[in-house]
Amino acid sequence: MKLEGKYTYKASQQVVWDLFNNPRCLEKAIPGCKKLEERGPGKYDAILKIGIAAVRGMYSGKFEVLDPEPPNRYRLIGEGSGTPGLVKGDGIIEFSQEGDSTMLSYTGEVQVGGLIAGVGQRLISGIAKMMIKEFFRKMKTELKSLK
Amino acid sequence: MSNEDKGKWVGKGMKRKEDLRLLIGRGNFMDDIRLPNMKHAAILRSPYPHAWIRGMDVSEAEKLPGVRGILTGEDVEKMSKPFSVGVPVPPKYYACAVDKVRFVGEPVAVVVADDRYIAEDALDLIKVDYEPLPVVMDIEEATQPDSPILHDNIGSNIYSHRLFKYGNPEKAYEEADLVVKGKFLFPKYGSTPIETYAVIASYNPYNEEFVIYNNYQGPFVTHFLVALALGIPENKMRWIVPTDIGGGFGTKTGMYPYIALIALAAKKTGMTVKWLEDRREHLLASSTGTDRVTYMEAAVKKDGTILALKDKAIDNTGGYIRPPEPGCAYRSTGNHTGAYQIKDLDREVLVVGTNKCLTAPNRGYTCQELYFSVERLVDMAATELGLDPAEIRFKNFIQPGQFPYTTATGGLYDAGNYPKAFQMALDIIDYKKMREEQQKARKESKYIGIGFATVVDPSVTNIAYVTLALTPEQRAKERPKSGSGESVIVKMDPLGKVHVIASTNPQGQGHETVISQIVADELGIHPDDVTVSDVVDTHDRVYSITTGSYSSRFASVGTNAVVYATRKVKERMTKIAAHLLEANPNDLELKKGKFYVKGSPDRSISIRHVAGTAHWNQAALPEGMDAGLYASSFLSMPTSKPVDDLDRVDSSNTYGFVAEAIVLEVDIETGEVKFLKWASVHDSGTVLNPMLLEGQVMGSCIHALGGTLYEEFAYDENGQCLTASFQDYLVPTAMEVPKIDIGHVETASPLTALGSKGAGESSSMSVPVAIGNAIADALSPLGVTIDELPLSPNKIWHLIQEARAKKD
Amino acid sequence: MKPSAFEYFTPNTVEEAVGLLEKYEDEAKILAGGQSLVPIMNFRLGRPEVLIDINGIRDLDYIKEEGDDLLIGALTRQRDVELSPRVQEKCPILAEAVSFIGHVPIRNRGTIGGSLVHADPSSELTTVICCLDGEMKVVGPPGDRTLGPEEFFLTYLTTSLEPSEILVEVRIPTLPQNTGWSFVELSRRVSDFAIVGVATLLFMEDGGICKEARIALGGVAPTPIRAEEAEELLAGQKITDALIVKAGEEAAEIAEAEPDYHASAEYRKDMARVFVQRGLREALNKVRGGE
């Protein structure tokens, strides 16, 4: 499924860029993230406990920042697999200064596979978008905590 | 037999003998079987549609208490061979993925444990290292040289490809006034029988013999092919099928890989292993009908005469191809021109692979795919020529006086009266009045449509058709194939009661009832005096490659075997009676349980006395006669011949007819369809049991209603199946079933003892296109055309929006 | 399709249940009718370690009247609500909405509380509660609290219940005389999850003026939503068909429809329009029939 959106963060572009490259902040903001470890520059291993209500599962995943152009854009790819199925994402995140704020826009595609795709397709699209929203919202909180 | 006894039971709506045990829960299905020390299997399945298996770690799973062993692809490769299939270059299709997975749900390992819970717990502990590959999901894309290739040994995704020409299509095109063309997409839907697949297997290492319980629809070709894959002779693999099977509809006639897979798990672990397919497994990975893309055109004269058909059809058997495929592309060869006198044909047939679940026959076995194109095209031709869709059909029908009729492709239609049956359907819906109502409704912006399908309903497959996958030159190098035989043994006990041993392996069709009716009529006894054992045990039944219940065989070839075996018993009884009465057998008649000497009513002997003599006083039998009282019949239909050098074949043996007439209304705001009238008229020869026939017709209508409006095995573009539960794979329920008026025309078949023909698939072939035609008719004022299924409200709504956008 | 192992408790009182929830929190799930939870567990989409079966708490099964309200215990079966003469008389829209849930055997087991707590955005009960402005009473270790639909339903399958809280009762206002109502929905088959479900209420004054209109939509957002702009359009007006057409268009505007295999986002959004219009016409017909 295709995803896109825009968020505004009240900080300079460099600060927002750093925020989105800070493993500690990402760990706190990624929904269900139990552990995020940097295994190389821009490469992360994660343990996620993702779930809505009773539908819940543990995933182990990998994220990687590709083609970084600080502080303007990077490509983020990730994949996770767990008992409920597979998740794979590929997106571009772009940052641009707008006055004293930074506009973040993302476009991407998420693929869901396995059990959850076969028996849970009805709500996948909505729930995926909701979780992404939650991530960007939590990053605002992280931004405040950095200040 | 005297006239008063004749036809006392056949033709009556006798209640099913099977029902009591089923209604009170005393049926005997696979899950009712409990064997000593039986362990339970669960199957690990691929979440990827296309990926290399780079490694597998089962060590954690093996440590789980209660786990008895794990079978992996590596074991399967060592212990068995790929299943054979009749295409020039077969893919390596093993019972489970060996080095690569090719569809979501493909088995990759089997865990055997003390119970199914533990087995499923263990699945979570197996680690598989997959390397995902690009997928190919689109049928036409699969034919392209640059598409991702599923099988390196084939080098393309084309499993089978043939060109056919019958008659002189070039000349027909010269004579034609008009060529009508269309591209049609038929979806992937299935049967979802209430009882899913199930296997219980054990292996005896001392005599190297497998005993396998399963619910397959017959030994058919699969017993032979599984033995071949396991590397054993057929007589070392005993199959036992329980008394009851909870539905098949073709799903259980494809190569059933789990029989081999669970047998291997049993062999490896040394346990008796039971596996019951759960519904998710069934929807992901059992067996579906093929989806098909068809380009078809018809060369037509101004008066509506259809001269020739030209088509290119591409079937999709998914990640692999397995028997009886590529039958999907060839099974309907004999009836390719349907109910019409079309002499000239040009065909191209392709069978391809994509990263989808595999296929097998699905009630109607691709006749619904065929007729969806043919019958849409007939309507499109009528529209272009300004003819009524009923009129163009009457114009082209094979006429009653033309039977037996040989089709351009070699089909031998045995009997029929198509105009009479179609007229009956028109009368039921009150066609003329409906057209008037349609006009009135349109003025009120209501969209009523009328749709027809008039199709030939083939029954009893002649296995010869599978060799159409080979060219005449390739075929010449092999031994010919043909046949359609079914076996029955009829025994009479010393008290004159009858037991029939059959191996048609019914899945709910009521064979026990019909066999009892037939035997009762033939011998002048009561159906309650007949018991039937109609299950397969390959060690104690007589069977062959063709044995089983598929392609609506029972009412034709099954009843033939029952009748002929019973008549042989009667002949022997008559000889014994004549001997005891010191009369000439020709002078005897059987009446009310006694043999009488004609003209001497005081000289008689009871059936019981005759039967008693055969068993208790064998010295009293005529000289040279066998002791006991039984006979068997195992005849193929005489018309089941090999494919000829011009690719002509009588691909089925008896050919019924279905006329569907449907009136419906489309809510153009929501895209929903409401049925107003539905007539389904059938000619399946002599009716054996009208109640059972009605059940089959209703079932086939609703099965097809599912494929037309509700059901589809849907995949996203990445190869994930979206419909792996009944929440999304929508089988119509009683709530979705409209009123259907069923009518019958009975034209007796000259090829069957009772004049009957198969009817179990019937409307599953005609309903999809009849509904499609009706919706197209309803929406014609909006400029909507229908060329694909299923027609969900969402789809119809989008078609309407697109047509409106085009108009604006 | 077998669930993974779980511990199983059968409390007989709400206090016991809350005690168990307090102990196991997130790891525990409450089993009421089991019509959503059991399939989730069988598919192993969910693997709760602890199951608290509340079917033994019999005093959560009731339908009572208190003043102008109906009080329904959380464990009351959906079928009992559907068939209750009291509900049919005092709040017929609720009985009607419940009749769209699954099939009869599902409603025989499924409970009012279970459906609300599951918070499926297509659920008939959540939609009708949202329309009726019902109140959810929940009990937790510190005591009880009462939540309206907007506070209770947060997003997909998520409510504001704390892990140690349990829903015990729903309070639903009865409908005054002269109220037009309807519950309409579009689903693939009878019993399927609604593509769109719409509950409408028209509180009428003498003279055929609509004092207040309420329109709730299910299936088109993460939670059931009220079409407030459309409601305002109708309030204080004599309702004409032109107004109904406009209200439908207005209501569809707020739909944040998501696509699934059965319905594209555009289709879902347009069906919100169509079913709001149909629902309003039906509601109006009902109240006119009563005039």
Side-chain angles (χ1 to χ4, degrees):
Chain A
M1 81 201 79
K2 299 231 184 310
L3 299 166
E4 55 180 9
K6 282 186 165 69
Y7 285 86
T8 308
Y9 292 85
K10 279 225 160 76
S12 73
Q13 192 176 332
Q14 186 61 47
V15 170
V16 177
W17 170 268
D18 290 342
L19 172 75
F20 277 84
N21 282 282
N22 180 333
R24 294 286 68 79
C25 297
L26 292 169
E27 181 176 22
K28 282 188 194 157
I30 293 170
C33 188
K34 296 287 162 202
K35 205 167 132 191
L36 188 76
E37 273 178 15
E38 196 164 2
R39 89 189 123 85
K43 291 182 177 173
Y44 307 96
D45 285 338
I47 301 286
L48 307 167
K49 187 174 181 180
I50 300 179
I52 308 287
V55 182
R56 207 176 288 165
M58 297 293 286
Y59 292 80
S60 62
K62 289 182 168 66
F63 294 96
E64 194 173 346
V65 172
L66 293 174
D67 319 323
E69 293 169 28
N72 297 324
R73 72 196 292 274
Y74 64 67
R75 178 172 163 215
L76 182 68
I77 60 167
E79 59 177 83
S81 64
T83 45
L86 318 162
V87 186
K88 212 171 135 185
D90 188 342
I92 303 282
I93 299 182
E94 292 183 302
F95 306 86
S96 60
Q97 189 87 38
E98 289 194 354
D100 56 357
S101 295
T102 299
M103 165 76 85
L104 177 152
S105 60
Y106 69 91
T107 57
E109 190 160 352
V110 171
Q111 293 179 22
V112 180
L115 176 62
I116 190 87
V119 305
Q121 69 84 23
R122 189 169 62 93
L123 297 178
I124 282 180
S125 156
I127 289 175
K129 286 182 191 167
M130 180 190 86
M131 286 173 40
I132 285 174
K133 270 187 203 162
E134 190 187 336
F135 166 71
F136 286 110
R137 190 179 49 78
K138 278 192 175 166
M139 286 301 270
K140 285 191 181 173
T141 317
E142 290 307 309
L143 179 64
K144 277 181 205 149
S145 72
L146 280 183
K147 280 177 186 166
Chain B
M1 189 185 305
S2 72
N3 280 335
E4 58 201 276
D5 287 340
K6 198 163 190 148
K8 209 169 154 188
W9 299 102
V10 170
K12 302 288 185 305
M14 193 178 104
K15 282 192 182 162
R16 298 194 338 152
K17 286 189 146 188
E18 294 87 342
D19 285 342
L20 182 63
R21 72 165 185 270
L22 296 174
L23 290 170
I24 62 172
R26 298 298 288 269
N28 181 34
F29 295 92
M30 280 298 294
D31 205 26
D32 294 308
I33 298 171
R34 301 274 187 278
L35 299 177
N37 286 321
M38 192 166 74
K39 306 299 174 200
H40 299 263
I43 298 173
L44 185 68
R45 293 176 182 278
S46 170
Y48 289 98
H50 197 194
W52 289 110
I53 299 173
R54 291 303 185 200
M56 191 181 297
D57 179 0
V58 299
S59 55
E60 288 301 310
E62 277 173 337
K63 280 183 217 153
L64 189 73
V67 170
R68 299 297 180 135
I70 295 171
L71 182 83
T72 64
E74 213 179 303
D75 299 320
V76 170
E77 190 180 19
K78 276 186 211 144
M79 296 167 74
S80 68
K81 299 190 198 71
F83 299 115
S84 305
V85 59
V87 293
V89 188
K92 286 182 183 156
Y93 176 45
Y94 284 94
C96 112
V98 166
D99 55 356
K100 196 186 195 192
V101 291
R102 294 178 176 89
F103 65 98
V104 169
E106 183 172 0
V108 294
V110 182
V111 173
V112 176
D114 288 349
D115 64 40
R116 178 72 176 247
Y117 294 85
I118 298 171
E120 290 193 19
D121 289 345
L123 295 184
D124 291 343
L125 302 173
I126 299 177
K127 290 183 197 76
V128 186
D129 180 13
Y130 293 103
E131 184 188 322
L133 292 165
V135 298
V136 53
M137 303 309 294
D138 181 78
I139 293 181
E140 290 186 273
E141 198 199 313
T143 64
Q144 300 303 310
D146 57 348
S147 73
I149 301 292
L150 270 54
H151 299 277
D152 292 337
N153 71 315
I154 302 175
S156 84
N157 294 318
I158 299 171
Y159 296 131
S160 181
H161 185 198
R162 289 270 351 247
L163 297 167
F164 298 103
K165 192 184 278 188
Y166 301 96
N168 191 346
E170 291 80 9
K171 188 160 165 282
Y173 266 71
E174 278 168 26
E175 287 168 13
D177 297 313
L178 175 74
V179 174
V180 198
K181 295 179 188 191
K183 178 187 175 184
F184 305 98
L185 308 177
F186 200 89
K188 188 177 179 73
Y189 76 94
S191 296
T192 58
I194 198 158
E195 186 190 33
T196 52
Y197 286 168
V199 181
I200 303 170
S202 59
Y203 178 70
N204 181 340
Y206 307 104
N207 61 9
E208 297 175 323
E209 195 174 298
F210 287 97
V211 176
I212 305 173
Y213 292 81
N214 64 64
N215 55 6
Y216 190 72
Q217 283 177 245
F220 190 28
V221 292
T222 299
H223 187 268
F224 167 78
L225 292 166
V226 169
L228 212 60
L230 293 175
I232 51 167
E234 272 195 85
N235 62 2
K236 289 282 184 184
M237 183 175 69
R238 181 177 183 185
W239 278 19
I240 304 172
V241 174
T243 329
D244 297 302
I245 298 178
F249 313 103
T251 303
K252 294 168 184 156
T253 62
M255 162 46 62
Y256 193 149
Y258 303 106
I259 295 174
L261 186 64
I262 301 305
L264 293 172
K267 188 174 177 183
K268 185 181 176 192
T269 59
M271 308 275 163
T272 295
V273 180
K274 173 181 180 178
W275 171 75
L276 195 65
E277 181 187 52
D278 68 32
R279 189 55 70 181
R280 177 175 168 256
E281 294 182 287
H282 184 82
L283 293 172
L284 268 183
S286 65
S287 175
T288 77
T290 169
D291 40 340
R292 177 182 286 185
V293 174
T294 309
Y295 291 88
M296 189 180 266
E297 52 185 72
V300 191
K301 289 191 71 89
K302 264 187 200 142
D303 66 356
T305 307
I306 304 167
L307 299 174
L309 288 180
K310 196 168 169 182
D311 71 308
K312 177 182 179 182
I314 316 170
D315 278 340
N316 173 18
T317 62
Y320 300 84
I321 184 165
R322 60 186 181 187
E325 310 293 30
C328 49
Y330 306 108
R331 184 256 180 170
S332 58
T333 296
N335 55 290
H336 193 76
T337 46
Y340 311 117
Q341 307 183 42
I342 302 172
K343 294 288 179 202
D344 305 303
L345 280 175
D346 207 329
R347 297 190 66 202
E348 181 176 4
V349 167
L350 285 135
V351 181
V352 304
T354 64
N355 295 108
K356 290 189 181 180
C357 169
L358 312 191
T359 64
N362 170 43
R363 200 184 207 167
Y365 200 14
T366 62
C367 286
Q368 52 270 57
E369 281 89 338
L370 168 69
Y371 294 138
F372 186 66
S373 314
V374 174
E375 293 286 302
R376 277 296 298 130
L377 218 50
V378 169
D379 267 30
M380 288 157 69
T383 305
E384 289 211 21
L385 293 169
L387 295 172
D388 185 286
E391 193 186 333
I392 194 170
R393 286 179 167 80
F394 280 117
K395 173 100 203 158
N396 287 285
F397 277 150
I398 295 161
Q399 295 301 309
Q402 292 178 281
F403 292 94
Y405 179 89
T406 304
T407 66
T409 44
L412 181 70
Y413 292 178
D414 47 335
N417 188 339
Y418 303 165
K420 185 179 168 190
F422 186 37
Q423 189 57 50
M424 187 186 282
L426 296 178
D427 293 345
I428 292 173
I429 64 160
D430 202 347
Y431 180 47
K432 217 175 137 213
K433 192 167 152 235
M434 279 299 117
R435 281 283 175 220
E436 289 162 19
E437 302 229 333
Q438 180 184 40
Q439 289 311 316
K440 260 190 254 164
R442 278 187 185 162
K443 283 179 194 139
E444 297 160 20
S445 299
K446 276 177 145 183
Y447 293 83
I448 288 178
I450 304 167
F452 304 124
T454 48
V455 310
V456 168
D457 170 13
S459 49
V460 193
T461 289
N462 165 15
I463 54 157
Y465 82 85
V466 296
T467 63
L468 280 169
L470 305 175
T471 62
E473 297 72 39
Q474 289 168 329
R475 252 191 332 262
K477 290 180 199 146
E478 298 201 345
R479 290 194 201 106
K481 290 188 171 71
S482 70
S484 56
E486 189 60 72
S487 106
V488 161
I489 298 168
V490 175
K491 305 191 297 179
M492 184 172 272
D493 67 24
L495 293 173
K497 310 287 183 191
V498 174
H499 183 66
V500 179
I501 301 167
S503 28
T504 67
N505 235 8
Q507 308 103 44
Q509 293 93 334
H511 294 180
E512 210 177 312
T513 304
V514 177
I515 289 173
S516 302
Q517 288 176 278
I518 293 171
V519 172
D521 271 359
E522 291 293 329
L523 297 179
I525 59 177
H526 195 278
D528 287 350
D529 292 335
V530 183
T531 54
V532 179
S533 161
D534 192 3
V535 295
V536 163
D537 179 332
T538 55
H539 274 193
D540 72 8
R541 297 285 148 139
V542 177
Y543 70 94
S544 181
I545 288 289
T546 52
T547 303
S549 275
Y550 57 94
S551 80
S552 307
R553 303 177 74 242
F554 175 76
S556 301
V557 71
T559 58
N560 270 3
V562 175
V563 170
Y564 295 139
T566 312
R567 286 183 187 167
K568 281 188 200 167
V569 168
K570 189 181 165 190
E571 197 187 313
R572 284 190 57 196
M573 289 162 68
T574 312
K575 280 187 185 153
I576 297 167
H579 185 66
L580 295 174
L581 290 166
E582 296 177 348
N584 185 326
N586 294 331
D587 293 338
L588 294 195
E589 63 175 344
L590 178 59
K591 202 159 73 177
K592 292 187 176 162
K594 282 183 180 172
F595 287 95
Y596 290 88
V597 179
K598 283 179 203 159
S600 314
D602 53 327
R603 288 179 69 202
S604 72
I605 188 167
S606 69
I607 286 180
R608 190 172 155 175
H609 188 161
V610 170
T613 303
H615 292 279
W616 280 105
N617 188 12
Q618 296 163 7
L621 294 173
E623 210 180 315
M625 186 182 271
D626 286 355
L629 195 47
Y630 76 96
S632 66
S633 172
F634 197 165
L635 290 173
S636 177
M637 300 287 282
T639 46
S640 288
K641 305 234 170 69
V643 179
D644 74 10
D645 293 344
L646 298 173
D647 285 320
R648 289 178 305 197
V649 65
D650 189 22
S651 47
S652 297
N653 287 281
T654 47
Y655 295 85
F657 177 76
V658 186
E660 220 76 53
I662 293 174
V663 188
L664 50 76
E665 183 180 342
V666 181
D667 180 336
I668 64 156
E669 250 189 337
T670 64
E672 289 174 293
V673 169
K674 187 170 115 195
F675 290 92
L676 304 176
K677 283 191 176 186
W678 184 333
S680 191
V681 175
H682 292 245
D683 185 349
S684 44
T686 309
V687 176
L688 300 168
N689 181 323
M691 189 185 71
L692 292 182
L693 179 58
E694 188 180 321
Q696 288 289 7
V697 171
M698 278 304 285
S700 62
C701 283
I702 303 316
H703 196 157
L705 175 70
T708 310
L709 298 185
Y710 299 99
E711 297 178 32
E712 182 185 23
F713 291 101
Y715 289 80
D716 69 12
E717 68 278 14
N718 307 310
Q720 292 295 330
C721 175
L722 302 176
T723 49
S725 83
F726 276 154
Q727 178 181 293
D728 293 306
Y729 188 87
L730 307 180
V731 180
T733 71
M735 304 297 279
E736 280 69 51
V737 175
K739 181 173 175 282
I740 299 173
D741 288 308
I742 296 168
H744 293 292
V745 168
E746 293 188 56
T747 316
S749 171
L751 298 178
T752 58
L754 301 171
S756 55
K757 311 181 193 188
E761 300 171 81
S762 61
S763 282
S764 58
M765 307 169 189
S766 46
V767 163
V769 69
I771 295 176
N773 279 341
I775 293 175
D777 184 45
L779 299 180
S780 59
L782 302 175
V784 171
T785 53
I786 298 295
D787 48 25
E788 66 181 288
L789 303 177
L791 294 162
S792 65
N794 179 59
K795 169 90 66 60
I796 292 175
W797 182 87
H798 278 280
L799 289 173
I800 293 170
Q801 306 311 312
E802 283 159 25
R804 279 181 174 158
K806 231 185 249 172
K807 270 192 175 175
D808 289 346
Chain C
M1 222 190 263
K2 304 284 182 203
S4 53
F6 53 86
E7 263 193 279
Y8 178 73
F9 295 96
T10 54
N12 291 312
T13 63
V14 171
E15 292 67 36
E16 273 178 66
V18 170
L20 288 162
L21 284 171
E22 219 181 341
K23 186 170 168 195
Y24 296 106
E25 291 211 318
D26 257 358
E27 305 306 335
K29 284 300 293 180
I30 288 179
L31 174 70
Q35 298 302 293
S36 299
L37 181 60
V38 171
I40 285 169
M41 289 174 66
N42 281 342
F43 278 127
R44 297 195 175 207
L45 278 173
R47 301 160 181 234
E49 285 167 26
V50 174
L51 219 51
I52 303 170
D53 182 343
I54 60 166
N55 286 280
I57 310 179
R58 297 314 307 165
D59 52 3
L60 286 183
D61 179 0
Y62 56 83
I63 301 171
K64 290 192 285 212
E65 263 179 275
E66 192 181 274
D68 286 338
D69 295 332
L70 285 172
L71 303 181
I72 302 178
L75 198 63
T76 311
R77 307 290 159 182
Q78 291 153 5
R79 185 71 171 159
D80 289 336
V81 173
E82 179 190 356
L83 298 180
S84 156
R86 186 174 270 162
V87 175
Q88 287 171 356
E89 188 199 331
K90 306 277 179 170
C91 192
I93 188 175
L94 176 63
E96 176 87 358
V98 169
S99 75
F100 282 93
I101 303 174
H103 289 289
V104 171
I106 290 171
R107 301 198 288 277
N108 280 338
R109 290 292 308 164
T111 65
I112 294 295
S115 176
L116 291 171
V117 168
H118 187 58
D120 190 297
S122 290
S123 147
E124 290 82 4
L125 260 174
T126 58
T127 305
V128 77
I129 293 293
C130 181
C131 187
L132 285 162
D133 243 338
E135 283 180 345
M136 274 54 73
K137 183 175 162 191
V138 304
V139 174
D144 54 8
R145 58 188 183 123
T146 301
L147 301 159
E150 278 178 43
E151 301 159 290
F152 189 74
F153 302 115
L154 295 183
T155 181
Y156 295 102
L157 311 179
T158 307
T159 66
S160 54
L161 269 181
E162 294 297 329
S164 54
E165 283 181 324
I166 178 172
L167 174 69
V168 293
E169 185 183 89
V170 192
R171 176 183 287 265
I172 292 165
T174 56
L175 300 185
Q177 289 287 311
N178 215 9
T179 303
W181 61 270
S182 70
F183 190 92
V184 290
E185 75 170 43
L186 174 71
S187 61
R188 291 283 312 267
R189 299 172 304 180
V190 171
S191 91
D192 278 329
F193 283 98
I195 291 171
V196 174
V198 177
T200 61
L201 289 172
L202 297 174
F203 299 104
M204 306 299 282
E205 288 177 333
D206 294 340
I209 302 292
C210 172
K211 187 168 58 183
E212 184 192 349
R214 291 206 204 142
I215 303 168
L217 290 89
V220 295
T223 65
I225 46 169
R226 287 274 292 274
E228 286 170 15
E229 285 81 2
E231 291 175 356
E232 278 165 28
L233 206 66
L234 301 169
Q237 304 290 322
K238 189 166 175 79
I239 297 177
T240 60
D241 204 64
L243 213 50
I244 287 177
V245 168
K246 196 128 187 286
E249 285 162 2
E250 202 69 62
E253 281 305 307
I254 61 155
E256 310 164 39
E258 290 292 342
D260 77 343
Y261 160 63
H262 302 292
S264 68
E266 306 92 280
Y267 178 64
R268 220 175 259 271
K269 204 172 170 77
D270 196 47
M271 290 309 101
R273 173 185 69 80
V274 171
F275 280 79
V276 166
Q277 291 168 350
R278 290 185 180 184
L280 286 171
R281 286 187 192 115
E282 193 183 317
L284 196 62
N285 272 341
K286 277 209 184 81
V287 78
R288 280 198 181 140
E291 266 174 13

